[in-house]
Amino acid sequence: MIAEKFEQVFGRRPDGVWRAPGRVNLIGEHTDYNDGLVLPIALPQQIVVAGAARPDGRLRFASTQGGDVIEADLAALTPGSVPDWAAYPAGAAWILRESGYDVSGAELLVDSDLPTGAGLSSSAALLCASAIALLGLRGIEVAPDEVARLVQKAENNYVGAPVGLMDQMASMCCTKGHALYFDIQEMSLAQIPFDPAADGLRLLVVDVKAPHRHVDGEYAERRRSCETAAAQLGVPVLRAISVDGLDDALARLDDEVVRRRVRHVVTEVARVEQAVELMRAGRLRDVGPLFTASHVSMRDDFEITVPELDVAVDTALAAGALGARMTGGGFGGCIIALVEASATESVLAAIEKAFADHGFTPPSPISADPSAGASRIS
Ligand code: GLA
């Protein structure tokens, strides 16, 4: 399908097709840029990029969703030089060239079934899919975690979003049927089997359709607070503070808001560790309360929820969910809820009703089978 569309747009067949998935994080929010722990799964929904090399250094980007073909010169790319959605494939080309990879000009056609603005990491997926397409067109092999690190730099320095490394690692390194336990400080990965159906459970993911409010500014502000707190505490990053040392650390901070930010990060890292221990022990049901504690921490201490997220979580819990939390950067996006499989419909119906009662935009459930990380399709 995408090959035919590619031919319509660019007048020739693509040399190859690549894919990179979105992600949902099970637990561990705003911990990645503090060198903490995260536990994402990759989604079945993904970005697909068809590509063909060009010998003349010209880059031409198009989307199956329409709009003009956007053009740029590989050699002339500088941060911010390509606007809108094409900044992501351009950023991927920029970082690869900056890092010394011998990528060429290319035509890239982007297709997606990943909702944008839903906190499912469509940006990271677009960067990852574009990078592996540009590398694949030249037959250059780069390890998946290295691609993730490269495109994070592109997102930070080309697009200008100060994000951590979770989303790119999830898109590149997740495997089917597993959650990715990623320790950013150690740069170590473990694949944790995650199959709620085997326990009679289901992971619900619901897009609350809240308009993202001040996302970029608020995200950067949270990140700065964490850096300020670490500097005041005399540690390189907040990961250096353990739960046991939390009270001492809090006593040394005089700003009440900063104290709450630190409490979120430190307790959230501990919750990821506990969740993984429980999952490894086959006690998935017991992970539910950790989800809920994570949400409360993000609502009260990190202050990144919005009414739609809180209503969805509260309603899911009242309707019998074992645990629920917002997932992703916050200020909109999705919630996840761990429910008995038999309660799936009633929990979803309760959330829909609560949203109607509050006059919110109807929420939208998203299927979330833990899926494989990025790969070449053809
Ligand atoms: C966004 C960022 C990630 C991470 C999450 C919050 O998704 O891209 O790096 O910080 O927010 O956990």
Side-chain angles (χ1 to χ4, degrees), residues 23 25 28-33 121 163-167 219 328-329:
R23 66 93 189 91
N25 189 21
E29 230 60 86
H30 287 260
T31 50
D32 60 353
Y33 56 79
S121 290
V163 294
L165 185 55
M166 167 172 68
D167 304 344
Y219 186 94

Side-chain angles (χ1 to χ4, degrees), residues 181-202:
Y181 183 30
F182 175 35
D183 181 329
I184 289 99
Q185 180 158 274
E186 301 297 325
M187 280 290 155
S188 67
L189 301 177
Q191 303 288 346
I192 309 294
F194 180 64
D195 181 9
D199 284 323
L201 299 175
R202 182 119 177 243

Side-chain angles (χ1 to χ4, degrees), residues 86-98:
Y88 295 91
W94 173 79
I95 193 65
L96 292 172
R97 198 205 58 199
E98 287 283 296

Side-chain angles (χ1 to χ4, degrees), residues 117-119 210-215 330-333:
H212 269 223
R213 302 171 183 115
H214 316 300
V215 194
F331 306 100

Side-chain angles (χ1 to χ4, degrees), residues 252-338:
R252 288 162 54 209
L253 295 167
D254 38 52
D255 185 296
E256 170 52 23
V257 172
V258 173
R259 272 206 292 271
R260 282 193 275 123
R261 303 295 189 251
V262 171
R263 189 164 57 202
H264 166 71
V265 172
V266 173
T267 58
E268 183 77 353
V269 169
R271 280 186 288 271
V272 181
E273 252 179 323
Q274 289 163 25
V276 169
E277 263 170 41
L278 289 167
M279 285 164 71
R280 282 181 163 148
R283 294 171 53 196
L284 187 54
R285 272 189 175 71
D286 295 335
V287 173
L290 293 170
F291 281 9
T292 308
S294 167
H295 186 80
V296 169
S297 179
M298 290 188 284
R299 185 191 65 202
D300 299 346
D301 280 350
F302 222 61
E303 296 179 284
I304 54 173
T305 69
V306 291
E308 290 87 341
L309 293 166
D310 293 334
V311 167
V313 163
D314 291 348
T315 308
L317 293 172
L322 301 166
R325 60 185 288 276
M326 62 140 265
T327 179
F331 306 100
C334 292
I335 66 134
I336 58 173
L338 189 64

Side-chain angles (χ1 to χ4, degrees), residues 73-92:
D73 268 322
L74 178 60
L77 290 176
T78 50
S81 57
V82 175
D84 302 327
W85 70 267
Y88 295 91

Side-chain angles (χ1 to χ4, degrees), residues 358-378:
H358 280 82
F360 296 158
T361 306
S364 162
I366 288 175
S367 67
D369 282 337
S371 301
S375 59
R376 185 171 187 154
I377 298 177
S378 63

